[in-house]
Amino acid sequence: GAGVSQSPRYKVAKRGQDVALRCDPISGHVSLFWYQQALGQGPEFLTYFQNEAQLDKSGLPSDRFFAERPEGSVSTLKIQRTQQEDSAVYLCASSPIAMSNQPQHFGDGTRLSIL
Amino acid sequence: SQQGEEDPQALSIQEGENATMNCSYKTSINNLQWYRQNSGRGLVHLILIRSNEREKHSGRLRVTLDTSKKSSSLLITASRAADTASYFCATMETGANNLFFGTGTRLTVIP
C-alpha cells in the first residue's frame, strides 16, 4: 500500500522567502508528526497532530514555523521569512491510532536549502 | 535537543560479522524503538521494545533494554552489505506521543 508521501522532495529558497512543505500520511492514520533533521543528526520533534487537532507544538523553533492539518489528513508545514539555519530535511511521520506503543511510518522527507 | 547518545558513532565490519550498537537515554520512557535510515531516505521502523520488556527478537535483530541503566542495544547478526545504513534509537517518554531520537550509528558492511 501507499506509504507517507512528502512533496516537494527538494526545495531551494532564498533567505526571507516563505516555503510550504506538504505531507500525505497513510490513509486513515490518526497521528501525524513533523520532525527536523539536520545533517548528520537524528530527527528532532517539531509538532504533533491527532486528526485535525494540533496537540503539541512545543518543538517548533520559532513563530516563523506554522503547521496545519485542517481536515485531519494532509498536513502542511509553513516556514515564513526563511533563514539559513532552517536548512535541513523535514520529515513527516504518521501512525494509525493515538496510542503511545505504536511505530511511526516516515516519508522520505523534504530537503530544504536556504541560500 | 537529542534525547540519547549512540555508541559507536560509526562502525565498519565485514559481511557475515555481527554488529552491535548501543543507546543511552535520560528520562523515564514508555518504549524504545530502533529505526534504520538509508542515505537520502526516510526512517524505517525496525523494532519496538516496551519499558517492561528486557529483550526482543525480529529476524536477525536482537534488542535489549535495561531501564535501570537507561540503555539499550541493537545486535544485527550475520550482517549483509544491504544492512549498510544509519541506525537510530528513539524513545517515547511516559505520557508523550512523539519520539526523541539519538544521534545515530553509521554502519558500513563491507562485502
Side-chain angles (χ1 to χ4, degrees), chain B residues 1-86:
Chain B
S1 61
Q2 308 278 185
Q3 155 73 298
E5 296 286 332
E6 293 188 55
D7 169 52
Q9 289 188 338
L11 178 60
S12 184
I13 59 174
Q14 295 288 332
E15 200 165 32
E17 293 181 337
N18 296 342
T20 300
M21 290 160 262
N22 302 295
C23 167
S24 61
Y25 59 92
K26 299 173 184 173
T27 63
S28 176
I29 64 170
N30 188 299
N31 64 68
L32 185 144
Q33 304 180 30
W34 285 89
Y35 287 80
R36 164 200 168 119
Q37 186 176 37
N38 287 83
S39 181
R41 303 299 300 273
L43 286 85
V44 175
H45 178 261
L46 296 176
I47 198 164
L48 182 153
I49 185 165
R50 301 184 185 205
S51 60
N52 61 353
E53 297 176 312
R54 292 296 167 258
E55 187 170 314
K56 206 161 182 180
H57 298 254
S58 177
R60 294 184 295 113
L61 306 180
R62 172 178 169 258
V63 167
T64 63
L65 178 64
D66 186 336
T67 52
S68 66
K69 296 181 179 178
K70 290 187 167 54
S71 67
S72 175
S73 68
L74 170 67
L75 168 68
I76 304 174
T77 60
S79 63
R80 305 166 181 168
D83 294 330
T84 295
S86 291

Side-chain angles (χ1 to χ4, degrees), chain A residues 9-10 31 33 35 37 40-45 48 50 55-56 89 91 97-109 111, chain B residues 1-2 30-31 33 35 37 39-45 48-51 88 92-93 95-104 106:
Chain A
R9 285 281 282 127
Y10 303 92
S31 296
F33 306 84
Y35 294 87
Q37 186 175 24
Q41 299 294 312
E44 293 200 6
F45 170 73
Y48 162 62
Q50 187 178 107
L55 298 187
D56 187 348
V89 175
L91 295 165
I97 53 179
M99 286 179 63
S100 57
N101 283 319
Q102 291 289 318
Q104 294 182 13
H105 303 264
F106 282 81
D108 283 339
R111 183 177 297 275
Chain B
S1 61
Q2 308 278 185
N30 188 299
N31 64 68
Q33 304 180 30
Y35 287 80
Q37 186 176 37
S39 181
R41 303 299 300 273
L43 286 85
V44 175
H45 178 261
L48 182 153
I49 185 165
R50 301 184 185 205
S51 60
F88 294 91
M92 188 169 285
E93 294 181 351
N97 283 288
N98 59 288
L99 294 170
F100 289 91
F101 284 86
T103 50
R106 184 186 298 270

Side-chain angles (χ1 to χ4, degrees), chain A residues 37-84:
Chain A
Q37 186 175 24
L39 188 64
Q41 299 294 312
E44 293 200 6
F45 170 73
L46 294 176
T47 187
Y48 162 62
F49 289 85
Q50 187 178 107
N51 295 308
E52 69 278 3
Q54 188 175 21
L55 298 187
D56 187 348
K57 53 182 180 179
S58 62
L60 296 177
S62 77
D63 59 6
R64 296 185 297 104
F65 287 70
F66 171 77
E68 61 183 3
R69 194 186 184 197
E71 297 178 0
S73 54
V74 171
S75 177
T76 303
L77 175 67
K78 298 178 180 178
I79 309 174
Q80 297 176 322
R81 304 181 303 283
T82 53
Q83 300 177 5
Q84 284 193 321

